[in-house]
Amino acid sequence: MRHLLLALAETGLLAGWPQTTPERTELRRTSTVAEVRGFMEALRKQVPGLEPYQPKGAPRATETGKPLLAWRLKGTGKDPLRVYVNANIHAGEVEGKEAIQQVVRELLQGQHPALRRNLDLVVMPAYNADGTDALDPAIRPWQPNPSDSGVGRRENALGLDLNRDLMKAAAPNTRWLLAMLNDFDPAAVLDLHTTNGSTHGFHLTHGPACTMGADEALLAFNRKMLVEVREQLKTEGMPTYDYGNFVPYKPTAEKPPTAWETYDAHPRLLTNYPALRNRLAVLSESYVYRSWPDRISDTRRFVLACLGWMAGHREEIRQQVRQSQSRWAEGWRRGSVTLPLSAKLKQVERYTFDWVEPIRDDQGRLTGEKGRTRLELPSFVGFEGQDFVAIPAGYLVDPAFTPTVLPLLRAHGLKVLKGSARPRGLTVLHFLETGRKVSPSAYQGVFTLELQGAWKAEPTLKKLQLTWTPTDLDHALYIPLDQPLGRLAFYLLDPRSTDSLVFWGAFHSALIRGDGMWGEPPRFPILAVGREEAVPIVPSLPPAPKAQE
């Protein structure tokens, strides 16, 4: 990077232009929230075009009062494609924060005219604002870091991983993002990270959305985009591949890698969530063991390559989005729609990997290589759905939970009606629980609840359990699934979904009755409207997720 900065200075590309914090400090520091704001505002004064962006109805600050800051750079051409770029959701992974500032400056300088014409960008360089400012040289010591400032914290001030919050939306940052998706409605989302795991030969790994229950053709198109970006960068001397890790996670000479596996199909992750809205997403993971300036440079190159592909294929992207929406509507016209309750990894291809046997110092930093082995391995970088169920016409939510559930459903952009608007020609169904699992430890501050069962026409009542009256049904919230965001509504509201509001504890007071709760039992808080299901003989729970970046 130092030689790059010198080259830029010599060509005059930095002369008279604002510099990022790493550029100003010779790579000794990374940006704070205030420094990001100062840089972006300095760009605004330099040339017209860049403006602050705040979604309608979105929070303006975190729990501690840190500002949530984004900027919009509208395309200068006709009907530009909308794209959102997110950085620093894990604030110890600072490369994206610095790279996107450089990209915005280059666009304003006129360096990428096709992107400037054909893309309408919103960027948020410091998404995890609390973590961004909690800089400490002791954090992530295994990666080469800016020497003076160190890097920020992974989680927010409440100890929540914001990259696990997309469904429960507990944090203001997440509610800001949901408001942006509803207001700006980007066709694609980029989320910029740095890896933690395997030692390999790639400069950067990346991933498309691989979301359980999303439109399969759209997921395939999302992957096609990144394969083409990968091949382009390969010809330019930058090796990249799908995000993942070797199996076993820490291979040795005695137990070398046998496969490559990606992470998770749940929509709680930012890269997976947009697919349930029929949109594209890109995960960027710079390689943790490359130098700090190289990680910034690699991220910048990858972002520009992705933006270039999107600008050149914007009409194809729009067509794919429209077709995915049409397929969802057509499924309802045919009368039956099924979605999976779990997913398993699938092999997408065989690929050649460089496995590096590392030499590390006492901080875990990579200081050398014992050896480098080239291996052709099965690559499990996709998922296939399993445990498919026919989904109902909609769900009814107990009116007692309206104050907490209604704002969350609206934040996700879902259409919510009164219970009296439910289809009267269909049956109101009750959930017959056949199994449950309460997590033995808290995950994201929640003792999660996984349920198995089926929807039946007749309720199975406990003694003195509160019943549903016709008035209750009419006063309930009714969420139809034949709406454009019906996939999202299913995974939020079906009690068997392992990313649902049931899973995340929104209904714990009714569903988990502990010591001291000796009153008459409440009713099950969600009903379905549709046709009853067969009771599953053997409940199937998805495997516990592995640790991921």
Side-chain angles (χ1 to χ4, degrees), residues 4-301:
L4 176 60
L5 292 177
L6 289 173
L8 289 171
E10 289 171 1
T11 58
L13 289 177
L14 286 183
W17 284 85
Q19 295 186 18
T20 66
T21 296
E23 292 166 347
R24 287 190 296 101
T25 64
E26 296 185 328
L27 300 166
R28 294 191 301 271
R29 295 185 59 253
T30 186
S31 307
T32 63
V33 172
E35 287 170 327
V36 170
R37 172 184 258 167
F39 175 83
M40 299 296 272
E41 290 303 305
L43 289 179
R44 290 186 62 211
K45 294 177 182 178
Q46 192 88 11
V47 290
L50 186 66
E51 296 296 336
Y53 172 74
Q54 175 67 15
K56 297 174 183 177
R60 292 182 175 271
T62 69
E63 295 91 342
T64 68
K66 294 285 184 183
L68 296 170
L69 302 174
W71 288 266
R72 183 174 182 177
L73 185 61
K74 293 183 179 181
T76 59
K78 182 180 179 181
D79 198 19
L81 187 75
R82 293 185 175 187
V83 178
Y84 171 71
V85 184
N86 194 78
N88 232 42
I89 194 170
H90 294 151
E93 304 162 20
V94 296
E95 293 69 32
K97 174 182 62 175
E98 308 301 348
I100 194 58
Q101 293 178 75
Q102 293 178 340
V103 168
V104 171
R105 181 180 61 200
E106 291 174 19
L107 291 169
L108 290 170
Q109 289 175 324
Q111 291 192 50
H112 312 287
L115 305 189
R116 187 73 180 87
R117 283 194 308 272
N118 297 317
L119 297 180
D120 183 352
L121 293 177
V122 167
V123 302
M124 194 173 202
Y127 181 80
N128 181 357
D130 291 315
T132 296
D133 280 356
L135 298 172
D136 188 337
I139 295 174
R140 293 176 67 89
W142 57 87
Q143 72 183 18
N145 282 326
S147 58
D148 290 358
S149 66
V151 296
R153 304 181 74 85
R154 177 182 178 89
E155 297 169 338
N156 75 351
L158 296 183
L160 298 179
D161 187 332
L162 297 174
N163 200 28
R164 306 295 183 272
D165 195 46
L166 269 293
M167 296 294 273
K168 59 185 173 68
N173 317 58
T174 311
R175 296 193 294 276
W176 184 98
L177 185 106
L178 296 180
M180 181 277 301
L181 293 174
N182 293 324
D183 176 60
F184 182 60
D185 190 21
V189 170
L190 282 74
D191 190 28
L192 311 182
H193 291 254
T194 298
T195 62
N196 286 322
S198 295
T199 50
H200 50 68
F202 304 115
H203 290 186
L204 180 146
T205 50
H206 46 70
C210 51
T211 317
M212 168 173 51
D215 184 89
E216 290 293 335
L218 188 65
L219 294 180
F221 178 77
N222 203 158
R223 174 165 173 75
K224 169 182 175 289
M225 171 181 71
L226 286 178
V227 168
E228 293 184 8
V229 168
R230 176 183 84 194
E231 294 306 307
Q232 172 195 329
L233 290 172
K234 185 177 179 180
T235 65
E236 298 171 5
M238 181 178 168
T240 69
Y241 191 65
D242 286 72
Y243 172 77
N245 286 291
F246 288 122
V247 179
Y249 185 67
K250 293 184 178 180
T252 63
E254 293 73 29
K255 294 183 178 180
T258 58
W260 180 265
E261 288 186 356
T262 194
Y263 177 53
D264 196 337
H266 282 95
R268 68 186 65 143
L269 302 173
L270 177 51
T271 309
N272 284 342
Y273 178 85
L276 291 186
R277 306 174 68 101
N278 296 309
R279 298 297 186 268
L280 304 178
V282 174
L283 171 70
S284 170
E285 297 269 0
S286 67
Y287 183 45
V288 63
Y289 301 114
R290 280 173 63 78
S291 72
W292 147 241
D294 281 339
R295 297 198 307 271
I296 299 173
S297 177
D298 294 339
T299 302
R300 171 191 161 276
R301 289 180 66 185

Side-chain angles (χ1 to χ4, degrees), residues 501-538:
L501 300 185
V502 166
F503 177 85
W504 287 114
F507 304 104
H508 272 14
S509 62
L511 298 178
I512 299 180
R513 308 292 288 170
D515 294 341
M517 303 178 76
W518 42 266
E520 297 77 22
R523 61 196 173 206
F524 196 88
I526 300 177
L527 302 173
V529 178
R531 296 177 176 84
E532 72 175 11
E533 303 170 333
V535 178
I537 298 174
V538 180

